[in-house]
Amino acid sequence: MALMLRANLGLDPWDVLHQGLAPRIGLSFGMTVNLLGLIVLLLWIPLRQRPGIGTILNIIIIGTVVDLSLPILPAPDGYPLRFAFLIAGIALNGIAGGAYIGAGLGAGPRDGLMTGIAGRTGWPIKLVRTAIELSVLAAGWAMGGTVGVGTILYALTIGWVVHYSIPFFTLGRKDPVPERAVPANL
């Protein structure tokens, strides 16, 4: 996240929302990530989703690490370095997603919202995910979050990076994604 913020070429939809919301609620970017993760986790209750230790750690650690990283991460000069930051940010985000999904320790709050809505409604993951992403993107953009080429690049590549990262973190399970995390209507 910090790399993508420093690249200033566009953020993923949730981070557009985090960036637009942070100044309005008076919190840092990272603490906004953590707070919104907690709020999204509360939305799991009617969806009957169950958090794991990975879910809780996601809420506590991700935004905190972003806030600790931003002061020491320099803003890149020139487009080649900005694109390098962007690509590294997307790759690391995808690998991290593959790690927590593959380890089976619980989905992040935003992923659990997606799987919970899909599981309760019977709607396909692709439609639920698209609707959520477009909704948070629109809200974040309306509040001044950064939308750009990075937003499009993220949308087109993150699924592939996560998909190919999961097997590296599966830890001997035959099915890398626990059944309770992914509804049958994928």
Side-chain angles (χ1 to χ4, degrees):
M1 282 184 194
L3 288 165
M4 290 180 66
L5 279 163
R6 285 290 184 247
N8 198 26
L9 292 170
L11 302 170
D12 71 85
W14 279 100
D15 287 343
V16 172
L17 178 61
H18 299 139
Q19 187 183 48
L21 189 59
R24 295 183 183 325
I25 61 175
L27 293 176
S28 67
F29 179 88
M31 290 304 103
T32 302
V33 170
N34 291 353
L35 177 63
L36 200 55
L38 182 60
I39 292 168
V40 170
L41 183 63
L42 294 175
L43 296 175
W44 284 27
I45 295 169
L47 299 172
R48 296 191 181 120
Q49 290 288 93
R50 293 185 181 174
I53 187 68
T55 310
I56 305 307
L57 291 174
N58 179 296
I59 293 170
I60 297 168
I61 293 173
I62 291 177
T64 304
V65 170
V66 170
D67 276 353
L68 293 172
S69 300
L70 285 172
I72 60 173
L73 187 63
D77 290 328
Y79 280 104
L81 196 51
R82 288 173 65 191
F83 273 102
F85 270 46
L86 174 66
I87 291 166
I90 293 170
L92 291 170
N93 188 285
I95 291 167
Y100 77 71
I101 293 169
L105 298 175
R110 294 147 189 89
D111 291 328
L113 177 65
M114 170 193 66
T115 58
I117 291 171
R120 298 288 286 164
T121 63
W123 299 338
I125 287 279
K126 59 188 172 191
L127 295 181
V128 172
R129 182 63 179 243
T130 301
I132 291 171
E133 296 290 324
L134 290 175
S135 298
V136 299
L137 177 62
W141 182 61
M143 289 188 274
T146 304
V147 176
V149 67
T151 310
I152 296 165
L153 189 60
Y154 185 94
L156 294 174
T157 61
I158 194 64
W160 293 86
V161 178
V162 172
H163 177 88
Y164 287 107
S165 297
I166 290 173
F168 291 105
F169 301 101
T170 302
L171 304 175
R173 289 193 327 270
K174 289 181 182 178
D175 180 11
V177 181
E179 286 181 29
R180 68 180 172 91
V182 180
N185 63 347
L186 273 174

